[in-house]
């Protein structure tokens, strides 16, 4: 089976007719179907599959044990996301295992393919939730209390899917099994287009985080309330969206985005009582919090001018990540010195890198677009990624 063929098997799961692309979120029906598919495919390769206390799937080639070589990615998506972000790493791992089995290779070290839960944060708002829980970098009580847009908590959704929610949280015994972790991912930018290479080695991940800005005003009638009498939280929210772009432009290499804004109650002829917006901010080095503070000051000034109140909550944050130098050097040597690339996108490998030697491989995306239906990878490049992954896994597992 090829990685492209495996992607074809799941091509109809979670299609989003309204947004385009795919909407596959933690513990929802499409994600459940994908997890079932993964278990079946892994078992066909003779792998033993188990679910850890945080909902991450582990497919073991041989007995679990210490100093394990682990590869994989995620199956969930952002709302209306592309077909490759996450699933490419999973299907490439399965295809690499099959390729190694075909040449009668047997790993001398414990070996596993992992599927991390809720990497995108598309349902519960915190990215890389499965790997954060595994590593203990998010408090278990906070994670259990996270709510999706419908008000369902992570604990409720996890319990409905069969997890023991009382055991959710840091899992040092399982984390301690990982000797090396490697994640293959579609590139989420244009680096490889310009470099003319199908595969690259990841070197850094830019610091990034998410903040929720909650503006509170006075809900009222859109026709009966004079402009002078309004306390409308939509105005400072709108001014904040503009300020995000204006202030980010003043910070070198900053990326700052408002991709979600929710007014309550949300009626066309109703002045909102509250408006929530979410800021995604990413700046290399230690400058992300400083940019967010500038944006917060602008938002507070706008709120005060309208007579509104503002609460700002940090939902997640990760510092700059530099992937393990020794592993990165080995990847380059084994793969014929492909280019190295930084990324502004977050990954489970970045979370794990603070605990175990971790690395990343990127596969060229000819559109340069990600988190959208236009995300793509050519079949030949996908197979080049599988060959690179198999080569590295074979060397690591000897």
């Amino acid at each position: 089976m090829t990685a492209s063929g495996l992607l074809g098997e799941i091509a109809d799961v979670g299609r989003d007719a309204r947004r385009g692309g795919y909407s596959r979120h933690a513990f929802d029906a499409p994600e459940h179907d994908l997890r079932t598919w993964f278990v079946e495919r892994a078992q066909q390769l003779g792998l033993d599959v188990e679910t850890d206390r945080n909902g991450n799937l582990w497919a073991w080639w041989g007995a679990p044990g210490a100093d394990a070589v682990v590869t994989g990615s995620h199956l969930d998506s952002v709302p209306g996301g592309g077909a490759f972000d996450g699933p490419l790493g999973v299907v490439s791992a399965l295809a690499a295992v099959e390729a190694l089995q075909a040449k009668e290779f047997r790993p001398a070290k414990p070996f596993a393919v992992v599927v991390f839960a809720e990497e995108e944060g598309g349902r519960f708002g915190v990215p890389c939730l499965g790997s954060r829980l595994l590593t203990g970098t998010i408090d278990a009580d906070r994670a259990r209390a996270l709510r999706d847009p419908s008000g369902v908590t992570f604990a409720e959704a996890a319990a409905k899917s069969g997890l023991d929610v009382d055991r959710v949280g840091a899992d040092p015994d399982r984390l301690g099994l990982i000797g090396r972790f490697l994640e293959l991912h579609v590139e989420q930018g244009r680096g490889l287009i310009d470099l003319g290479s199908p595969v690259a080695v990841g070197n850094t991940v830019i610091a990034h985080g998410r903040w929720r800005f909650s503006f509170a005003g006075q809900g009222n009638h859109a026709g009966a309330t004079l402009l002078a009498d309004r306390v409308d939280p939509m105005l400072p929210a709108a001014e904040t969206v503009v300020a995000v772009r204006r202030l980010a432009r003043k910070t070198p290499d900053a990326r700052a985005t408002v991709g979600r804004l929710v007014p309550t109650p949300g009626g066309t002829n109703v002045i909102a009582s509250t408006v929530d917006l979410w800021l995604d901010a990413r700046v290399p080095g230690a400058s992300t919090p400083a940019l967010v503070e500038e944006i917060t000051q602008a938002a507070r000034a706008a709120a005060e001018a309208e007579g509104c109140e503002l609460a700002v909550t940090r939902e997640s944050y990760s510092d700059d990540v530099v992937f393990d130098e020794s592993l990165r050097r080995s990847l380059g040597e084994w793969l014929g010195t492909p280019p190295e690339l930084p990324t502004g996108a977050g990954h489970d490998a970045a979370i794990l890198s603070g605990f175990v030697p971790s690395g990343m491989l990127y596969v060229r995306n000819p559109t340069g677009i990600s988190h959208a239906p236009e995300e793509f990878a050519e079949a030949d490049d996908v197979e080049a990624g599988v060959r690179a992954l198999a080569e590295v896994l074979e060397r690591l597992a000897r």
Side-chain angles (χ1 to χ4, degrees):
M1 58 182 171
T2 66
S4 295
L6 290 171
L7 284 173
E9 292 180 4
I10 60 175
D12 292 328
V13 180
R15 284 193 179 274
D16 192 318
R18 180 173 69 87
R19 299 182 180 97
Y22 296 88
S23 292
R24 303 157 164 170
H25 307 308
F27 306 126
D28 68 6
E31 199 251 7
H32 177 269
D33 291 344
L34 291 175
R35 291 166 70 91
T36 299
W37 169 86
F38 172 79
V39 171
E40 293 173 351
R41 268 303 188 177
Q43 288 175 340
Q44 289 173 12
L45 293 173
L47 309 185
D48 295 321
V49 185
E50 59 179 344
T51 304
D52 70 16
R53 67 178 63 178
N54 296 305
N56 306 310
L57 291 171
W58 298 75
W60 290 95
W61 186 3
D67 198 27
V69 175
V70 181
T71 187
S73 192
H74 61 97
L75 291 170
D76 65 304
S77 76
V78 297
F84 295 83
D85 180 357
L88 180 62
V90 175
V91 301
S92 296
L94 293 174
V97 168
E98 184 176 57
L100 292 173
Q101 290 177 343
K103 60 188 293 188
E104 299 186 350
F105 173 78
R106 292 295 179 267
K109 295 180 179 179
F111 186 110
V113 176
V114 65
V115 176
F116 285 108
E118 182 72 338
E119 192 271 352
E120 297 289 5
R123 181 172 183 182
F124 296 103
V126 175
C128 300
L129 188 56
S131 54
R132 289 182 192 272
L133 284 166
L134 169 68
T135 57
T137 49
I138 185 172
D139 179 74
D141 287 337
R142 182 191 166 207
R144 280 188 280 262
L146 293 171
R147 292 183 181 274
D148 70 8
S150 298
V152 177
T153 66
F154 176 80
E156 291 167 342
K160 187 175 180 180
S161 294
L163 289 185
D164 180 351
V165 295
D166 292 333
R167 298 185 67 242
V168 164
D171 194 348
D173 291 339
R174 183 169 295 272
L175 180 62
L177 296 179
I178 305 174
R180 298 286 189 279
F181 177 72
L182 184 65
E183 182 172 5
L184 180 145
H185 207 278
V186 68
E187 188 196 1
Q188 296 174 283
R190 300 187 54 84
L192 288 173
I193 300 173
D194 298 332
L195 292 169
S197 175
V199 177
V201 174
N203 53 20
T204 59
V205 175
I206 294 173
H208 64 282
R210 297 181 184 184
W211 287 260
R212 178 175 180 170
F213 287 63
S214 298
F215 297 88
Q218 177 59 61
N220 216 328
H221 194 290
T225 310
L226 298 177
L227 296 182
D229 295 334
R230 299 185 180 197
V231 183
D232 185 352
M234 188 63 78
L235 270 70
E239 290 185 41
T240 299
V241 173
V242 175
V244 166
R245 174 65 69 88
R246 172 173 53 83
L247 294 170
R249 278 179 168 164
K250 294 166 53 181
T251 303
D253 207 22
R255 302 98 192 265
T257 307
V258 175
R260 182 180 171 207
L261 186 150
V262 179
T264 301
T268 302
N269 60 344
V270 181
I271 300 167
S273 56
T274 63
V275 176
D276 291 327
L277 66 81
W278 283 261
L279 168 68
D280 180 301
R282 310 175 190 228
V283 188
S287 299
T288 304
L291 173 59
V292 174
E293 179 57 30
E294 285 190 78
I295 293 169
T296 300
Q297 290 176 8
R300 289 198 187 285
E304 290 173 4
E306 183 65 15
C308 294
E309 296 181 354
L310 170 64
V312 180
T313 305
R314 188 179 81 177
E315 295 194 337
S316 66
Y317 179 72
S318 299
D319 286 321
D320 273 355
V321 169
V322 179
F323 289 115
D324 184 80
E325 182 178 356
S326 176
L327 178 56
R328 201 168 71 238
R329 186 167 53 248
S330 294
L331 295 177
E333 292 174 357
W334 297 337
L335 299 177
T337 63
E340 288 196 1
L341 287 180
T343 183
H347 299 287
D348 291 305
I351 302 299
L352 290 179
S353 68
F355 301 86
V356 299
S358 301
M360 290 199 70
L361 297 175
Y362 296 118
V363 171
R364 178 167 50 196
N365 176 352
T367 69
I369 295 172
S370 187
H371 282 187
E374 294 83 0
E375 179 182 272
F376 189 62
E378 299 283 358
D380 287 347
D381 288 353
V382 168
E383 297 314 313
V386 172
R387 290 193 298 272
L389 182 61
E391 174 70 20
V392 170
L393 294 175
E394 180 177 358
R395 289 176 179 270
L396 290 174
R398 286 175 179 167

